[in-house]
Amino acid sequence: MVDLQEIAEQVRNCRKCDLWKTRKNAVPGEGNPHAEIMFVGEAPGENEDIEGKPFVGAAGKLLTKLITEVLGLKREDVFITNIVKCRPPQNRDPTEEEIIACSPYLRLQIDIIKPKLIVTLGRHSTSYLFSLIGKSFSSITRVRGKEFEWKKDDNTIIKVFPTYHPAAALYNPNLRKTLEDDFRKIKSILT
Ligand code: URA
């Protein structure tokens, strides 16, 4: 089986969709290869595209704060990635085609890391993970804050916990409070 470095190299050389034409850097993801918890966002934004690292802009700072202050973990303890590894121009939503082209990288990362829990941030990654679980997805508001189970082909079970994308909570105090509540639930799932 390939390792995380090889996947990162494949992602950096990837031309499976057109996003390679406009990206500065692909963003494979980073963190502990043995992480118990994996965070899956949507796609890199401007700062991530420049740095080649996930969640380093304003939304990333909020995510990092929640990881450290609510979960009591360090960023390096978890694994952080996105469903689409290259920045869509002007931060538009990723297309279905881009998600289909890119998602095999996420599947490989999950197979290697074997996390106990995947936290999906926002509707795109939640909708994709739900398609793997065989659940229909309607809206993030309906499913956030609840725990789901993904029984994989090898019979291992990974918990999936959807919550809001931190970017949505940046300027909305109500969503921010809900996001904090969800992180407290994540802490109780992990302990
Ligand atoms: N938003 C995302 O979904 N992912 C990032 O890496 C940064 C912002």
Side-chain angles (χ1 to χ4, degrees), residues 43-107:
E46 185 179 14
N47 294 292
E48 292 77 20
D49 182 52
I50 291 168
E51 292 194 34
K53 293 179 177 192
F55 282 98
V56 290
K61 292 208 167 62
L62 176 55
L63 176 63
T64 305
K65 195 172 150 71
L66 292 164
I67 290 170
T68 52
E69 292 182 9
V70 182
L71 302 186
L73 296 170
K74 295 200 275 299
R75 229 182 111 102
E76 306 77 66
D77 294 330
V78 305
F79 195 88
I80 304 177
T81 191
N82 288 297
I83 177 153
V84 167
K85 314 292 196 204
C86 296
R87 182 191 183 200
Q90 278 81 48
N91 299 343
R92 63 156 170 74
D93 285 351
T95 64
E96 193 62 31
E97 269 180 5
E98 288 157 0
I99 291 174
I100 290 169
C102 204
S103 55
Y105 296 122
L106 176 66
R107 295 288 300 266

